[in-house]
Amino acid sequence: MTATDDLIAAAEAHSAHNYHPLPVVVATADGAWMTDVEGRRYLDLLAGYSALNFGHGNRRLLDAARAQLERVTLTSRAFHHDRFGEFCAQLAQLCGMEMVLPMNTGAEAVETAVKTARKWGYRVKGVPAEMAKIVVAGGNFHGRTTTVISFSTDPEARADYGPYTPGFEIVPYGDLTAMRQAMTENTVAVLLEPIQGESGVIVPPEGYLPAVRELTRERNVLFVADEIQSGLGRTGRTFACEHEGVVPDVYVLGKALGGGILPVSAVVSSAAVLGVFRPGEHGSTFGGNPLACAVALEVIAMLRSGEYQARAAELGGHLHRELGALAGTGRVTAVRGRGLWAGVDIARAYGTGREVSEKLMDRGVLVKDTHGSTIRVAPPLTISKEDLDWGLDQLRAVLVG
Ligand SMILES: *Cc1c(COP(=O)(O)O)cnc(C)c1O
């Protein structure tokens, strides 16, 4: 038994099997690279599902975290702390919005957005009690809580968790007619990922997001954009919605907001929308804690420079030119995505995404498969062009031969 085998056996024996990790045991990481317990190095092309947009062990983020660790880490929202106002102001400004409601994980932020939309519906729009409806898209991924999986279309995510939360209408992603038909006077929000991440990096048809924006405005319905994975630089812009010139009513943020150090999420919107909350009506012990605010403030400062977005756009262009050349050759049936974010579909006959991931692991590249036959490529935005090219060489070797 190797150290790797022992550590995996211990994990398997004492953890719930709600994941099926690749058989690699990471010990350290730096930038776009991870090193396992046996000293083997791997290029990280998953980047913690975009939680690691700024890479592992980012100096600026570690310094910000360290400095705050020595000052104060948790107050709870029972008291004010000196990083909170600054964090809310800076995040609101980055989003072009007015107010922030901080939480921790993405799913909590989505829950918060659902509560926000419902409360806004009852208190502002005048929807009759208990009647609020939210329109969502098939193939969505918004997290794992019981309410959020209630409107999932993924049987694996949903099975045996009922009874499910009512109040959601599911329409096909990209289908505006179906969305229009699903709307009633009691519709309070449309909740969408501007690019569906877990579904396989699905980019909606051009013009869809602007049409949703127009329709929601017309019907006095909130457009809630879940930019937890697509936002904060990944696609080459701060927000994926920007590619189509769309400004939603509500942004839901998470993942990279915590700099890969700790979970930080938030709902960001106007005062007219987030102003519906009164003291005691919603909260979180850890939401908006000083350490989270300090790290997120550094993330925001880094994004304000625009350099990470520019890098994602430039390297993303390169990535898509290289991957695009593979589409329809060898084992690759399709490539989608935007910026430093791609979904690569593998021909069924060749094997599963899992098998491809294992072959890539043997070549020193870590990716994660999704939905059986897709692998996603989403390196840290800080990856060097040389490292990206090396990773692409490994992909080519496995997928084209
Ligand atoms: C990851 C993700 C979530 C859930 O975030 P957690 O931090 O895992 O709860 C929600 N929405 C989208 C689009 C995501 O990618």
Side-chain angles (χ1 to χ4, degrees):
M1 294 277 275
T2 64
T4 297
D5 293 334
D6 284 342
L7 289 161
I8 291 175
E12 297 274 297
H14 301 290
S15 73
H17 294 176
N18 57 324
Y19 278 89
H20 181 36
L22 287 172
V24 55
V25 181
V26 175
T28 62
D30 184 31
W33 291 87
M34 298 201 274
T35 304
D36 76 4
V37 289
E38 325 244 357
R40 285 183 295 247
R41 295 179 78 229
Y42 301 88
L43 187 65
D44 182 1
L45 294 190
L46 177 65
Y49 303 89
S50 290
L52 286 155
N53 278 3
F54 309 101
H56 296 272
N58 186 289
R59 291 297 126 192
R60 276 184 75 171
L61 296 173
L62 285 184
D63 286 346
R66 255 188 230 108
Q68 190 60 41
L69 276 171
E70 301 296 331
R71 295 179 69 238
V72 58
T73 51
L74 188 66
T75 55
S76 89
R77 294 283 307 279
F79 316 115
H80 291 278
H81 68 76
D82 63 3
R83 312 307 304 272
F84 186 71
E86 193 188 351
F87 161 71
C88 294
Q90 299 286 340
L91 184 58
Q93 195 194 43
L94 184 78
C95 298
M97 297 278 179
E98 295 166 329
M99 276 191 184
V100 170
L101 202 171
M103 297 297 283
N104 310 284
T105 65
E108 281 177 304
V110 172
E111 287 272 352
T112 300
V114 167
K115 287 168 96 173
T116 303
R118 286 181 172 183
K119 210 173 259 302
W120 173 87
Y122 298 125
R123 291 195 178 163
V124 179
K125 183 168 176 172
V127 170
E130 303 288 311
M131 298 294 282
K133 284 269 197 294
I134 295 176
V135 178
V136 300
N140 71 73
F141 182 86
H142 296 289
R144 299 290 196 170
T145 62
T146 36
T147 285
V148 170
I149 58 92
S150 291
F151 55 87
S152 170
T153 53
D154 176 358
E156 242 172 23
R158 221 173 165 269
D160 301 327
Y161 293 132
Y164 302 103
T165 307
F168 299 93
E169 294 287 339
I170 305 171
V171 299
Y173 191 56
D175 185 341
L176 190 77
T177 308
M179 178 175 290
R180 189 179 291 113
Q181 281 165 359
M183 280 187 178
T184 71
E185 284 161 16
N186 296 332
T187 305
V188 295
V190 166
L191 168 62
L192 289 179
E193 297 157 86
I195 293 176
Q196 290 189 328
E198 296 307 299
S199 220
V201 195
I202 311 291
V203 182
E206 208 185 318
Y208 176 64
L209 297 173
V212 171
R213 175 65 285 186
E214 210 179 292
L215 178 62
T216 47
R217 194 170 278 135
E218 213 175 272
R219 302 285 183 95
N220 192 24
V221 164
L222 300 178
F223 184 178
V224 181
D226 180 347
E227 292 250 19
I228 290 171
Q229 194 166 158
S230 58
L232 308 185
R234 172 57 56 192
T235 65
R237 299 285 183 90
T238 306
F239 301 107
C241 282
E242 282 177 55
H243 290 279
E244 299 222 39
V246 163
V247 179
D249 298 295
V250 179
Y251 285 113
V252 188
L253 304 176
K255 293 204 165 107
L257 191 57
I261 296 177
L262 75 175
V264 183
S265 67
V267 171
V268 188
S269 186
S270 62
V273 172
L274 277 175
V276 296
F277 288 103
R278 297 175 201 141
E281 291 179 345
H282 189 50
S284 160
T285 303
F286 289 95
N289 70 73
L291 185 59
C293 289
V295 171
L297 271 166
E298 200 62 32
V299 166
I300 295 161
M302 287 161 74
L303 286 170
R304 217 168 20 227
S305 76
E307 71 183 276
Y308 297 90
Q309 297 89 324
R311 217 181 147 65
E314 189 188 320
L315 283 182
H318 177 63
L319 174 75
H320 284 285
R321 276 190 296 279
E322 297 290 312
L323 288 179
L326 301 187
T329 69
R331 289 119 197 174
V332 180
T333 55
V335 177
R336 295 171 301 276
R338 197 160 246 169
L340 264 179
W341 202 19
V344 180
D345 290 345
I346 315 295
R348 295 262 173 198
Y350 176 65
T352 61
R354 172 75 184 198
E355 285 159 350
V356 168
S357 303
E358 285 170 358
K359 287 191 180 124
L360 284 166
M361 189 189 105
D362 292 339
R363 289 176 164 271
V365 170
L366 294 179
V367 297
K368 170 78 176 75
D369 57 296
T370 182
H371 289 272
S373 59
T374 301
I375 56 167
R376 92 188 94 192
V377 179
L381 310 183
T382 54
I383 192 172
S384 70
K385 176 150 185 302
E386 293 67 35
D387 286 345
L388 181 61
D389 279 332
W390 181 82
L392 282 165
D393 287 343
Q394 310 314 309
L395 274 167
R396 230 175 265 117
V398 168
L399 295 174
V400 183

